[in-house]
Amino acid sequence: MKIICVGRNYIDHINELSNQKPTEPVLFIKPDSSVLINGSPFVIPEFSNDVHHEVEVLVKICKVGKYIQPKFADKYYNQIGLGIDFTARDIQSKLKEKGLPWEISKGFDGSAVIGNFVDKTHFQDLQNVSFELKKNNEIVQKGNTKDMLWQINELIAYVSQFFTLKTGDIIFTGTPSGVSKVNPNDELEGFLEGEKMFSIKVM
Ligand code: ZN
């Protein structure tokens, strides 16, 4: 199983980090060892002093595919979910400055929170699904899939040009604005259309 993440897919988040709007989706991979074991707390790694939460809508692939056309992309997934792409922002900023790959800032152990999934038939329009992240009971990130620069079907088509998609692979579709540092004892809760999809304690 692999995790493919999309960077810079919401304009308000691009602006908050003063990034350039990309002309093509920005992709990176998290290894399977990055998945936070269900129910475990997230332990802030000692190599970073600035780990950020990035709440993201997840797409679970249900069929093997390569060079998938956007118009057929919906056949390759039947569930969407919610998760967190934990990012060691201090490490990432240094790597970005040097033009180096972001992997260690994004793919470290526990950096991929994968919450519950819901059948996509549950939603009238997958490109109009709201989601939010609460930190210690306060909303810190709020997004809607209608604001994606690249929609889910376009992402699947784009990703599958480079990486064969396999059953069980998960796409992290990018984060809206509101990313911030997590601290020990923080409680993070993610909601998709008001339904709780995960709850994580930070240590
Ligand atoms: Zn992200």
Side-chain angles (χ1 to χ4, degrees), residues 68-75 153-154 157:
I68 300 163
Q69 292 179 46
K71 63 179 175 187
F72 298 128
D74 69 310
K75 305 218 172 350
N153 291 344
E154 294 169 318

Side-chain angles (χ1 to χ4, degrees), residues 57-171:
V57 170
L58 312 183
V59 176
K60 197 191 264 182
I61 300 300
C62 64
K63 195 169 136 176
V64 177
K66 192 172 172 62
Y67 293 115
I68 300 163
Q69 292 179 46
K71 63 179 175 187
F72 298 128
D74 69 310
K75 305 218 172 350
Y76 290 82
Y77 68 104
N78 44 30
Q79 289 184 311
I80 65 165
L82 197 70
I84 297 179
D85 162 24
F86 277 120
T87 303
R89 195 72 70 202
D90 45 356
I91 309 277
Q92 188 197 25
S93 301
K94 282 186 201 149
L95 294 168
K96 271 162 75 176
E97 259 171 45
K98 296 180 184 163
L100 292 171
W102 306 346
E103 247 59 21
I104 60 169
S105 69
K106 288 282 199 179
F108 58 87
D109 289 357
S111 64
V113 173
I114 298 172
N116 297 337
F117 283 86
V118 183
D119 234 65
K120 71 179 183 194
T121 53
H122 190 79
F123 305 95
Q124 277 195 341
D125 178 1
L126 284 173
Q127 293 303 153
N128 188 7
V129 175
S130 66
F131 58 100
E132 58 189 37
L133 183 75
K134 283 187 184 170
K135 182 162 85 173
N136 306 325
N137 249 327
E138 255 175 64
I139 296 173
V140 283
Q141 287 194 271
K142 215 173 161 44
N144 189 300
T145 55
K146 70 173 156 45
D147 298 321
M148 288 179 173
L149 294 178
W150 286 278
Q151 300 196 333
I152 294 170
N153 291 344
E154 294 169 318
L155 290 174
I156 287 175
Y158 184 78
V159 167
S160 71
Q161 294 177 64
F162 308 100
F163 307 119
T164 296
L165 288 172
K166 295 185 178 178
T167 305
D169 287 350
I170 292 172
I171 301 178

Side-chain angles (χ1 to χ4, degrees), residues 150-198:
W150 286 278
Q151 300 196 333
I152 294 170
N153 291 344
E154 294 169 318
L155 290 174
I156 287 175
Y158 184 78
V159 167
S160 71
Q161 294 177 64
F162 308 100
F163 307 119
T164 296
L165 288 172
K166 295 185 178 178
T167 305
D169 287 350
I170 292 172
I171 301 178
F172 277 58
T173 59
T175 196
S177 62
V179 300
S180 68
K181 181 179 175 174
V182 294
N183 291 297
N185 298 318
D186 280 349
E187 293 268 5
L188 300 170
E189 296 168 291
F191 298 84
L192 193 65
E193 290 279 305
E195 230 173 281
K196 197 195 275 196
M197 308 301 275
F198 63 78

